[in-house]
Amino acid sequence: MTLRSVVLGCGSYLPARTVTNAELAVKVDTTDEWIVQRTGIRERHIAADGELTSDLATQAAKAALTHAGIDAQSIDLIVLATSTPDQTFPASAVSVQTNLGITHGAAFDLQAVCSGFVYAMATADSLLRAGTFKRALVIGAETFSRILDWEDRTTCVLFGDGAGAVVLEAQELPGTREDRGVLVSCLRSDGRHKSKLYVDGGPSSTGTVGKLRMEGRAVFKHAVAMVTDVIRDAFKATGYTAQDLNWFVPHQANKRIIDDSAEKLGIAPEKVVITVDLHGNTSAASIPLALDTAVRDGRIKRGDLVMLEAMGGGFTWGSVLVRW
Ligand code: ACO
């Protein structure tokens, strides 16, 4: 027998305000056609004034707890993946903890940009399997609208705000690859690429928050090779193949990157969950947003083999193979 981190439920939250491509085209020199053709994005959600990353995260967490059918008091670990925290410190995770009325256990933020949710799943899984905690909320939440240069058409059309969460529970299972729960996670980073996608400010450099800057073409060039590599590592570690997957839930940055990765791996298009059209790139929130959509519309079912992957600033990248 071995400890596994099993998914009990999931939830998500998108701010009420949507901004379509046509609305953006009034503000910057772009068109709906350009954005859809290059990225697949049709609209994004933008947080209201005063609506914080921790507020989005709390809504997603509450939805996940309801879906799991458990009380917040049984949660003893909160890992919040975000690059847009409410403040430099304390961690936004402690605000979520307070909003949920939890005063025990541990809560912290984790920063790996768009790979944040994959990193957070791997981290929570390790802590649960070590026996340190029993039940974890793993959350990805972002308000990227606050770090965008709204005059830069090459970046402002790509991103949006949102949050998603899953509840993981440590369970004693046989320890075979047929077990439910996280089966393997593979994490990578290579800081030589850090200037290709970054924010031009920070507490220790400029003392300001800064704005997102990106060499889009350079990111695109590396993305497919990096994510396919780390997915192959997950297959190698478990003996599964692309044919065994029920669902592929990639980071929702760009439909072309998703399509190219799936094709290179031999994953059939009907197994790929795509929601980027509805919320743009929400960084660490994008995978749990896509997961929650596919669980609630009945596509992802208990026992399904689901591959998560992401690549983001740093570069960081990673995969998590989970039996739902
Ligand atoms: N509307 C209209 N034209 C535009 C826009 C826009 N919004 N943005 C750029 N253009 C123009 C450019 O100025 C350029 O014009 P030029 O040829 O006259 O110079 C032309 O479109 C082509 O620009 P490219 O940058 O070469 O366009 P590309 O086909 O590479 O698409 C894109 C750009 C969508 C950014 C693409 O490179 C991409 O998706 N890259 C990956 C980005 C990504 O996924 N980032 C997230 C990573 S995750 C994270 O950690 C945040």
Side-chain angles (χ1 to χ4, degrees):
M1 297 294 277
T2 191
L3 276 175
R4 292 275 197 205
S5 308
V6 174
V7 178
L8 297 186
C10 58
S12 63
Y13 174 78
L14 287 167
R17 182 170 162 232
T18 56
V19 175
T20 63
N21 292 345
E23 285 175 74
L24 278 184
V26 176
K27 292 184 187 150
V28 290
D29 182 15
T30 190
T31 60
D32 175 56
E33 191 193 6
W34 191 95
I35 300 171
V36 172
Q37 194 243 325
R38 305 283 173 134
T39 71
I41 298 166
R42 294 185 182 277
E43 60 185 30
R44 69 286 296 142
H45 292 246
I46 304 293
D49 288 348
E51 195 175 29
L52 308 180
T53 291
S54 63
D55 296 326
L56 275 52
T58 301
Q59 295 296 336
K62 285 181 175 170
L65 291 169
T66 303
H67 186 238
I70 61 163
D71 191 83
Q73 293 309 319
S74 68
I75 296 292
D76 55 2
L77 174 66
I78 299 174
V79 185
L80 170 55
T82 188
S83 302
T84 45
D86 301 356
Q87 297 156 269
T88 303
F89 76 82
S92 301
V94 301
S95 295
V96 175
Q97 188 188 28
T98 304
N99 292 345
L100 295 175
I102 304 171
T103 53
H104 61 272
F108 62 91
D109 287 0
L110 185 154
Q111 211 272 57
V113 204
C114 295
S115 309
F117 188 75
V118 162
Y119 270 64
M121 284 288 280
T123 303
D125 175 47
S126 296
L127 290 166
L128 291 174
R129 283 189 298 106
T132 317
F133 299 98
K134 181 75 183 141
R135 272 185 180 166
L137 261 171
V138 184
I139 309 170
E142 304 278 16
T143 47
F144 260 50
S145 63
R146 309 254 157 83
I147 56 163
L148 294 176
D149 176 349
W150 285 100
E151 289 175 3
D152 175 11
R153 68 174 182 171
T154 68
T155 53
C156 76
V157 303
L158 303 174
F159 296 90
D161 302 339
V166 302
V167 179
L168 293 179
E169 180 181 70
Q171 292 183 5
E172 284 277 0
L173 293 175
T176 72
R177 65 176 203 157
E178 314 305 325
D179 286 351
R180 287 187 67 211
V182 175
L183 299 178
V184 70
S185 52
C186 304
L187 304 181
R188 304 276 182 275
S189 66
D190 185 345
R192 287 175 301 176
H193 301 286
K194 66 183 182 184
S195 61
K196 296 189 175 83
L197 175 51
Y198 66 101
V199 169
D200 62 5
S204 159
S205 52
T206 59
T208 62
V209 173
K211 298 288 181 210
L212 183 148
R213 307 290 171 205
M214 178 172 73
E215 292 174 32
R217 209 176 288 186
V219 176
F220 196 101
K221 201 180 94 192
H222 290 281
V224 176
M226 285 176 163
V227 301
T228 50
D229 259 13
V230 85
I231 287 169
R232 288 194 176 117
D233 287 349
F235 285 145
K236 227 177 284 167
T238 54
Y240 282 120
T241 68
Q243 282 67 47
D244 297 313
L245 290 184
N246 297 102
W247 298 105
F248 179 46
V249 186
H251 169 47
Q252 308 286 316
N254 181 309
K255 188 171 180 303
R256 284 191 298 158
I257 295 175
I258 296 173
D259 290 345
D260 288 3
S261 307
E263 191 186 336
K264 201 167 160 199
L265 289 159
I267 300 172
E270 58 273 18
K271 292 183 176 179
V272 183
V273 177
I274 295 181
T275 54
V276 68
D277 50 325
L278 302 173
H279 52 64
N281 182 348
T282 56
S283 187
S286 89
I287 291 175
L289 273 162
L291 267 176
D292 191 44
T293 301
V295 167
R296 282 172 199 269
D297 68 20
R299 276 179 287 173
I300 297 180
K301 296 183 193 65
R302 189 184 165 108
D304 280 354
L305 194 60
V306 183
M307 178 67 80
L308 316 179
E309 65 79 359
M311 181 262 189
F315 293 143
T316 54
W317 65 108
S319 65
V320 173
L321 185 63
V322 52
R323 188 174 295 286
W324 204 255

